[in-house]
Amino acid sequence: MHQLLVKYLENKCTAHELTQVLTYLQTEGGQRHLGELMDNEINDDDIHAVEDADYEKVYDRIRNNIKQEAFQSKSATILPYKKWLSIAATISGLILLATVGLLFLYPNETVYETAYGETKSITLPDGSSVTLNANSSLLVKNDFSDQREVWLDGEAFFEVEKTKGQSDNAYVKFIVHTDRLDVEVIGTSFNVQDWKEKTQVVLASGKVKLKANGNEVLTMAPGELAEVLADDSSIQKKIVNPEVYSSWTENQLLCNDTPFKDLAKVIQRRFGKEVVFQDSTLQTLEVSGTLPLHDLALLTEILQESLFIKIQANDDTLFVSKAEK
């Protein structure tokens, strides 16, 4: 946590690291830790008061930075360190530096996150349910009365309830913000992946609108997959079996001639283990059937027996080689 706090003050946290820091800052120990760290960094030249600071403007800017930068891109952009000093000095002195995270961040939102190997079931304020996959984060607005919005970093399966607003009795849109696309629905079920190399939406039921930069891109029908790669802004769409893409919610992975190199990506995201192929030909091995995702040891055992390979674990790496005859 000390290293993460240093990165936080240097504006170098990733979105996942930022959620860890902010959760930590909501504890008494976390606030004390931040205060001690910043006390060691502060010198007299850094401290200067700013006259007539606009507290509300500062507050809104920080909250918007967190929502838009941390959960729609993959890095967190926070006010520069010296600006924090001047703002804190203006408001009520440097003592507030120890509670910066608690005072300014997430006043109207809740952040859920999962570690490697962990999934989480979430019930939203409108009764909709979300299953959050491993190594993922979800920011949720607490007020769902007239606008339902969440920000996803990672993967989640959504089952959205139809909800009418309090003002005009019309159905309230449900919007999932991701790095490359916004997913807009009324009531439906769908799976969203938002990883570094791609953003992917698979619709199980209902209807979904995809938007980029505020403009409608396309409307999806059940059984369709839409995908945007990091190096290509165009949307690729195809027909798929939605159960294959949501099977992880049952701690299973449905495979149908799935290349081992694709399975390796699932293992890395789910368990935080990098897969290294000591023979490049092993990447093309195809896997079929249902694999367990609740136990890495069991998963690797099944793969070894079915593919006649050897998988050796070393810290955060799995080395894959041909089995000895």
Side-chain angles (χ1 to χ4, degrees), residues 34-278:
L34 178 64
E36 293 172 353
L37 180 62
M38 296 190 74
D39 283 343
N40 292 332
E41 295 290 333
I42 294 172
N43 58 63
D44 292 338
D45 293 336
D46 287 325
I47 302 175
H48 57 282
V50 176
E51 298 294 334
D52 302 321
D54 189 335
Y55 178 88
E56 290 299 326
K57 184 179 293 185
V58 170
Y59 176 93
D60 290 339
R61 185 194 309 172
I62 295 170
R63 186 176 66 162
N64 289 335
N65 278 348
I66 294 301
K67 289 196 298 184
Q68 295 176 9
E69 296 292 337
F71 286 88
Q72 293 190 52
S73 67
K74 297 301 180 184
S75 62
T77 302
I78 309 174
L79 289 181
Y81 174 57
K82 289 187 178 181
K83 288 188 180 179
W84 276 119
L85 291 176
S86 57
I87 291 168
T90 299
I91 295 172
S92 62
L94 292 176
I95 191 171
L96 286 181
L97 289 172
T99 56
V100 156
L102 190 61
L103 288 177
F104 290 108
L105 305 176
Y106 304 145
N108 299 309
E109 296 89 17
T110 300
V111 176
Y112 301 91
E113 66 172 348
T114 51
Y116 286 118
E118 176 190 18
T119 61
K120 183 175 294 184
S121 297
I122 303 165
T123 301
L124 300 179
D126 64 342
S128 297
S129 61
V130 181
T131 305
L132 192 62
N133 206 349
N135 189 32
S136 300
S137 302
L138 186 72
L139 185 150
V140 180
K141 290 187 64 174
N142 292 333
D143 184 4
F144 265 32
S145 57
D146 289 312
Q147 193 169 16
R148 302 185 290 173
E149 289 184 277
V150 300
W151 285 258
L152 175 66
D153 180 11
E155 182 173 16
F157 184 81
F158 295 84
E159 294 181 277
V160 178
E161 296 287 339
K162 286 186 176 181
T163 301
K164 291 187 176 182
Q166 298 177 353
S167 57
D168 56 6
N169 204 36
Y171 284 113
V172 180
K173 294 177 181 179
F174 187 103
I175 302 174
V176 181
H177 298 283
T178 70
D179 187 20
R180 301 172 185 89
L181 291 171
D182 290 340
V183 186
E184 184 179 296
V185 304
I186 295 297
T188 185
S189 57
F190 56 98
N191 194 80
V192 181
Q193 284 187 5
D194 184 44
W195 302 114
K196 182 178 181 180
E197 70 275 16
K198 67 180 178 182
T199 299
Q200 181 188 88
V201 180
V202 178
L203 182 59
S205 65
K207 186 171 68 173
V208 159
K209 290 181 181 179
L210 301 184
K211 293 187 175 184
N213 300 319
N215 299 315
E216 183 174 342
V217 178
L218 59 84
T219 300
M220 295 179 63
E224 289 186 332
L225 176 151
E227 184 175 79
V228 180
L229 302 180
D231 56 357
D232 184 0
S233 60
S234 63
I235 299 179
Q236 304 297 322
K237 190 167 71 168
K238 61 182 179 180
I239 303 297
V240 297
N241 178 4
E243 293 183 359
V244 172
Y245 295 87
S246 62
S247 59
W248 64 266
T249 63
E250 302 295 332
N251 285 319
Q252 297 177 340
L253 182 65
L254 300 183
C255 298
N256 184 17
D257 295 333
T258 303
F260 199 175
K261 64 179 181 179
D262 292 344
L263 180 57
K265 295 178 182 178
V266 175
I267 292 174
Q268 195 281 326
R269 293 168 182 158
R270 181 82 177 200
F271 299 101
K273 306 291 185 181
E274 181 183 3
V275 179
V276 175
F277 294 94
Q278 297 186 312

